Amino acid sequence: MIIEPRMRGFICLTSHPVGCEKNVLNQIEYTRKKGIIDGPKKVLVIGASTGFGLSSRITSAFGANAATIGVFFEKPPSSGKTASPGWYNSAAFQKEAANAGIYAKSINGDAFSDAIKKKTIDLIKQDLGKIDLVIYSLASPVKTNPKTGITHRSVLKPIGQTFSNKTVDFHTGIVSDVTIEPCSEEDIANTVEVMGGDDWKLWIQALIDADVLADQAMTLAYSYIGPQVTKAIYREGTIGKAKDHLEATAFEIQDLLKPLEGSAFISVNKALVTQASSAIPVIPLYISLLYKTMKEKDLHEGCIEQINRLFRERLYIKDEIPLDTKGRIRIDDWEMREDVQNEITKLWKLADTSTLPEIGDLNGYKSDFLNLFGFGFDGVDYNEDVNENIDINGLV
Ligand code: NAI
Ligand code: NA
């Protein structure tokens, strides 16, 4: 069929298999051009189909020739409907890995469940023996706790005070004021349950118990800090409490890994357009100013640039991994540079519907958003009739 983007609010209902493949091919090409990394050999990526997790899988496989197992939760194509983008991304990844003779297998299901953890461990035992790197890159609005059976939903709200600021509808370019009422105590607990570190720790404990982690195995989860203007809604809001919890969990996991001389790290990444970040008020306006500023300074990066820099200049270097005072890896260093943030503070005051096209990178935002769903890529003929019924080879 001929597939066009069908937008509804912050999501796109369709995705394009050829465009998603192009996205994966571009990321592979970028990684290969950077040369070989003396890096991980056998990698498990939890949340491997989009965003930072997909880029982590690509960097491992095509940067370090690593065998990868990817876990994700994506919708297959069905009765005339396209699959979710992560499905097509994973199909393309598997195809390219097979072409290159690199081991890759994928598991589609709920990573929070005991069943998917068991399935993953069985696959590791059968095919790889032991894993030396575990990347935890889940982003989800909901989680069913496997022990209690209770389903929790995360929220994006400020804590203790009403928050008002500017935001942009990136489809229309209209800048308006948004006001968000403070959360309840329950909201905080639910958000920490979904996006905090509990599930990461359950994964690592299960992998240790099954004896499928190699000596000196490393694990990593992704966090975000961000600027002053988003503080009340992000880092000091409900999601920030979940990130505090995730970061604290890294130290607990570090202790679990002591007998193996392994290590657990948080990497603080840059703000980027993903399905998750587009739904957070204020963030799209911040990102459009950030993109403009970083592109002008020739500092702009997407997921694949970020993760390549993470592997090549932080994780797999001769010296010790450089950490901040709270023990975190920082690849948001360019975003947080003083000159970048000073510029954004200046632009923030000027931003309105009429100035934004000039002072912000709204087009960059929109194009990145379309790209998430496989639309807007050069070299893809969107008028062509394409097969949406794509299988993922290597799906277990
Ligand atoms: P994303 O939405 O692109 O990727 C989420 C991944 O998790 C997908 O592979 C999806 O299939 C998988 N997933 C979701 N629920 C699942 C479930 N129940 N079972 C199995 N897989 C499931 O998200 P993104 O943006 O790459 O986020 C990854 C991490 O990076 C998150 O911790 C996020 O907070 C963090 N981060 C994101 C930033 C951003 O600007 N987007 C900035 C810094 C950190
Ligand atoms: Na991800």
Side-chain angles (χ1 to χ4, degrees), residues 47-54 137-138:
S49 54
T50 58
F52 285 113
L54 173 64
S137 186
L138 285 191

Side-chain angles (χ1 to χ4, degrees), residues 264-282:
F265 292 106
I266 292 291
S267 172
V268 182
N269 298 356
K270 177 198 186 204
L272 282 169
V273 178
T274 63
Q275 289 183 70
S277 65
S278 299
I280 311 178
V282 189

